[in-house]
């Protein structure tokens, strides 16, 4: 059974930065394509970023492009989301997800495994 354990997040003022982490077990993170999603109350979980298992390109939602960076450390079996220039509208619970085998990478229904979620709050 794959487990994704998230850490990081918290509260920051607009313009600040935060980094989210997602530890993957038991297999190594480099064997999974992985994504980040976020959700606010009353809204559906939305796609944020994606990194395929084969190293190379990364992909982002337009709302975070140029501000967020998805990456992974294979030695630590960990996925990251570096968030810079944060805005109040980035406030949400953020989730990491792995193994989008059943559909497109930007669709939450495609993913088999999810982290527990972590709150990010950006104040103006």
């Amino acid at each position: 059974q794959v487990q994704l354990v998230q850490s990081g997040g918290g509260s920051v003022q607009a313009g600040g930065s935060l980094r989210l982490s997602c530890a993957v077990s038991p297999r190594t993170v480099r064997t999974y394509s992985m994504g980040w999603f976020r959700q606010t109350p009353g809204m559906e979980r939305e796609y944020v970023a994606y990194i395929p298992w084969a190293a190379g390109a990364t992909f982002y939602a337009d709302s975070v492009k140029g501000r967020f960076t998805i990456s992974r450390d294979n030695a630590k079996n960990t996925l990251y989301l570096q968030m810079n220039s944060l805005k109040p509208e980035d406030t949400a619970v953020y989730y990491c997800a792995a193994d989008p085998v059943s559909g497109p990478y930007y669709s939450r229904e495609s993913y088999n495994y999810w982290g527990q979620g972590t709150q990010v709050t950006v104040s103006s």
Side-chain angles (χ1 to χ4, degrees):
Q1 181 71 16
V2 177
Q3 287 190 321
L4 307 180
V5 179
Q6 296 181 226
S7 59
S11 298
V12 67
Q13 289 190 328
S17 298
L18 287 172
R19 189 177 77 162
L20 306 182
S21 301
C22 175
V24 181
S25 64
R27 289 167 57 182
T28 58
V29 66
R30 63 184 169 188
T31 64
Y32 288 111
S33 294
M34 300 194 69
W36 286 99
F37 287 74
R38 65 188 182 186
Q39 189 170 20
T40 55
M43 302 296 288
E44 293 189 349
R45 196 169 297 184
E46 66 171 5
Y47 159 74
V48 174
Y50 170 74
I51 184 167
W53 70 270
T58 53
F59 303 86
Y60 300 93
D62 289 342
S63 58
V64 306
K65 198 172 297 182
R67 300 186 298 120
F68 290 13
T69 302
I70 186 172
S71 64
R72 61 180 173 224
D73 185 330
N74 293 337
K76 296 183 178 180
N77 284 343
T78 301
L79 175 77
Y80 299 102
L81 184 68
Q82 178 66 42
M83 304 183 293
N84 298 329
S85 301
L86 282 161
K87 304 175 181 181
E89 51 264 43
D90 294 319
T91 296
V93 177
Y94 283 71
Y95 297 88
C96 61
D99 203 23
V101 297
S102 56
Y105 65 83
Y106 48 81
S107 174
R108 67 187 186 281
E109 289 86 1
S110 302
Y111 289 79
N112 287 329
Y113 308 106
W114 291 89
Q116 80 276 19
T118 185
Q119 178 70 46
V120 170
T121 302
V122 184
S123 59
S124 57

